[in-house]
Amino acid sequence: MSLPGGPIVELGLRSHSSLPKEKMAPVRTALDTGCLWQALTDHEWTVENIDNDQAVNDLLERADNDIPGRLLLGVIAMVTLVTSGYLLAPGGSAEQIVGGIKVMRAGVGTVIKTVLDKKEGRQVLADAIKRIRAGLRPRWWADGHLVERDDWKGSDFNAHLRLAANQGFAPEGYQNDLTATELEGKALTAFQASLTTAAANLDDLIAMRKKNGTDTELSWTVVEPSFKQLNFMDKDLARISEDEPR
């Protein structure tokens, strides 16, 4: 049975008629770019009232092997995410958010349908339905479990969902959020690497002077900024380091 998209979208938005007009417009635009309604109606399925967390959990359990159940989960997640601003119509900023990695720029229905094919994707979508209904931010999948992303806006979740649709939930070149300790370790490594580079550059300068037979000393005005920088760095590093063993 073929169903025209426009009327189906409007029917789906009936329960969200309380949304302000300025929020309803982008929701309608997103759903008009292609949704999952037709895919669901291509299968025999039973109308269900998925109105509580347990019903969502039951639907998630069935979604592993039951295609209509999986698509119903997707339709509910699609409408929930779109109407709450966590899934947007294709835009130009998503790849900037995820570090320039190629994301899926298809309509919201295609994104959801692709994510549904991944077990962790179904977990994310089911969890999002429950949390958004409870007034909470949806969680993300990282390191094998659902994690909080309190600093994400709707556009962040949208970008990462589109990334997952195109690259999976552990895309090559993308780094999940690091712990504070890991971030500090990376910063220390970067600092130490910069010192190694600086020392090599100084060695190159000295070698070049020897090769050229240069024996005149550099003027103080030229090297003073470098000496001051090294002095400041020495003091700063000493403040965060243990004393040298005697």
Side-chain angles (χ1 to χ4, degrees):
M1 178 178 61
S2 177
L3 293 177
I8 293 298
V9 169
E10 295 305 318
L11 181 62
L13 292 177
R14 287 276 181 92
S15 61
H16 300 277
S17 58
S18 60
L19 284 174
K21 288 184 178 180
E22 63 271 16
K23 289 189 176 181
M24 184 62 78
V27 167
R28 183 175 285 108
T29 298
L31 293 177
D32 278 341
T33 60
C35 60
L36 272 177
W37 302 109
Q38 184 60 60
L40 180 59
T41 57
D42 285 341
H43 298 268
E44 291 187 6
W45 61 288
T46 302
V47 176
E48 301 177 64
N49 190 16
I50 312 297
D51 60 351
N52 57 70
D53 286 358
Q54 186 57 54
V56 175
N57 291 339
D58 292 342
L59 186 60
L60 173 62
E61 186 175 345
R62 284 168 33 210
D64 285 342
N65 302 303
D66 180 60
I67 299 301
R70 182 179 302 184
L71 291 171
L72 179 58
L73 175 68
V75 168
I76 297 171
M78 177 188 66
V79 175
T80 302
L81 288 167
V82 169
T83 54
S84 59
Y86 288 101
L87 180 57
L88 313 172
S93 63
E95 285 171 359
Q96 298 175 18
I97 293 174
V98 297
I101 308 175
K102 187 176 181 181
V103 305
M104 181 174 284
R105 296 196 173 279
V108 296
T110 302
V111 172
I112 292 293
K113 194 169 188 297
T114 305
V115 171
L116 279 172
D117 290 337
K118 303 171 176 62
K119 189 173 183 66
E120 58 266 55
R122 297 192 289 275
Q123 293 279 351
V124 168
L125 296 180
D127 186 70
I129 294 169
K130 294 183 290 185
R131 286 179 64 85
I132 291 172
R133 286 176 173 178
L136 303 171
R137 295 174 184 268
R139 294 184 291 185
W140 191 244
W141 189 269
D143 301 322
H145 62 280
L146 292 163
V147 295
E148 304 281 351
R149 287 290 186 262
D150 291 335
D151 57 332
W152 280 12
K153 303 185 293 294
S155 56
D156 293 290
F157 189 92
N158 168 72
H160 285 82
L161 196 66
R162 288 180 173 278
L163 175 65
N166 208 39
Q167 307 277 350
F169 281 81
E172 185 176 351
Y174 175 75
Q175 175 70 58
N176 283 321
D177 290 354
L178 301 177
T179 66
T181 300
E182 289 171 331
L183 287 171
E184 290 181 11
K186 289 192 65 166
L188 176 59
T189 300
F191 166 68
Q192 291 173 327
S194 70
L195 290 181
T196 301
T197 300
N201 290 338
L202 180 57
D203 288 341
D204 289 343
L205 173 60
I206 293 171
M208 191 177 299
R209 284 170 58 86
K210 287 181 179 179
K211 180 179 179 180
N212 295 338
T214 304
D215 55 10
T216 56
E217 294 180 337
L218 296 169
S219 68
W220 176 250
T221 55
V222 171
V223 298
E224 181 182 14
S226 296
F227 273 108
K228 284 187 174 181
Q229 183 66 48
L230 290 170
N231 185 45
F232 290 145
M233 290 170 61
D234 179 66
K235 292 178 179 178
D236 289 341
L237 184 59
R239 281 202 299 269
I240 62 173
S241 305
E242 295 179 347
D243 293 334
E244 182 179 359
R246 294 181 181 275

